[in-house]
Amino acid sequence: MIAKLMMHKISVESDLGTLTQCVPETVQTQPVVEVVLALGSNYQAEKYLPLARKSLAALGKMRLSTAFQNPDFTATLVQPKPDYSNQCVHLTLNTPMSLQQLQQTFKTLEGDCNRCRQTEPNQVRRVTMDIDILMIRLANTENSLSDNIISKPMSDWVVMADRYPFKEHEKAGIEELTETNY
C-alpha cells in the first residue's frame, strides 16, 4: 500500500530524510491509521515470524517485504551472536488506534511469541520476536478508510525519531514495499 501512497516514483533514501520525524512521546495519544513495522527474530524465526504476521493480520490489511537474514550488528569475534531474520510490514488498521495502544498491542504480541527480555550477563540474547514501529500515518479529518486516503503522498508519514536513521534491512524492506504494486 505504500506504493499507492506515492503519486510518483521517488528515491526512498532521499525521501525518508525529508519526512517529519518525532519522538514517540509527542504523538502517544494521536490516532494512527497506518503503520510500518520492523519484525525481527534471532531464535526460531521460522516459527515466530508467521505467528506474529497472523496476529498482525487480525488488526488490518497487511503487506510484507521479503524476509531478510542479517548478522546481529552487535556481534563481535569475541562475542558472536545468532543471525536475525527481519521483515518489514505495512499495516492499514481496521480501526484507528493511538500510538500508545499500538505499542502495548505489539508488546503483548511479543509476549505471545514467548519474548523474554531478561537475560543473564554474558548470555546470548535469544529474541523470539521484536516489533519496532518505524513510521506511522496519523488520522486526519477525512475518513481514514476511504479510497481517497490511499492516494495521499508519502509526505503524510511520520518517522519515529528513535528509529531513524533506519538500518540497511529496514531501508531495503521499506523500499520493497514502496516499489511493489498490486
Side-chain angles (χ1 to χ4, degrees):
M1 281 202 196
I2 292 176
K4 289 187 178 183
L5 291 171
M6 299 177 347
M7 300 301 287
H8 51 80
K9 288 273 188 192
I10 57 169
S11 165
V12 170
E13 182 71 38
S14 64
D15 201 52
L16 289 173
T18 64
L19 295 179
T20 301
Q21 292 184 36
C22 69
V23 291
E25 295 76 22
T26 62
V27 290
Q28 284 294 305
T29 60
Q30 298 292 318
V32 175
V33 294
E34 292 180 70
V35 62
V36 175
L37 306 170
L39 306 181
S41 175
N42 74 355
Y43 182 72
Q44 296 183 355
E46 66 285 350
K47 174 181 177 180
Y48 291 112
L49 280 173
L51 181 60
R53 291 189 299 252
K54 181 178 178 182
S55 295
L56 290 170
L59 297 174
K61 190 172 182 181
M62 184 174 65
R63 290 197 50 241
L64 304 169
S65 73
T66 301
F68 300 99
Q69 188 165 357
N70 305 293
D72 185 325
F73 70 93
T74 65
T76 64
L77 290 175
V78 175
Q79 189 174 17
K81 297 180 181 178
D83 289 348
Y84 270 85
S85 291
N86 298 103
Q87 187 169 41
C88 286
V89 176
H90 172 248
L91 182 63
T92 301
L93 299 169
N94 291 331
T95 304
M97 298 172 74
S98 71
L99 181 59
Q100 187 174 31
Q101 289 172 307
L102 281 172
Q103 289 169 324
Q104 186 55 51
T105 298
F106 299 149
K107 197 168 286 282
T108 299
L109 200 155
E110 288 173 344
D112 293 345
C113 290
N114 300 315
R115 170 82 186 255
C116 181
R117 295 182 184 277
Q118 304 296 330
T119 59
E120 298 295 322
N122 299 322
Q123 180 183 11
V124 173
R125 196 174 100 178
R126 289 185 174 173
V127 179
T128 56
M129 182 49 52
D130 183 41
I131 302 174
D132 294 313
I133 299 172
L134 302 179
M135 301 178 357
I136 60 172
R137 197 165 70 71
L138 300 172
N140 59 22
T141 56
E142 296 179 61
N143 175 354
S144 63
L145 300 177
S146 73
D147 286 338
N148 294 334
I149 293 296
I150 294 174
S151 65
K152 292 286 184 179
M154 192 171 185
S155 62
D156 287 350
W157 287 88
V158 176
V159 173
M160 297 292 96
D162 62 339
R163 295 294 307 168
Y164 195 79
F166 296 134
K167 296 174 182 149
E168 288 304 315
H169 63 271
E170 293 167 341
K171 286 190 276 187
I174 292 169
E175 185 168 343
E176 183 179 338
L177 289 171
T178 302
E179 292 175 351
T180 304
N181 292 306
Y182 63 96

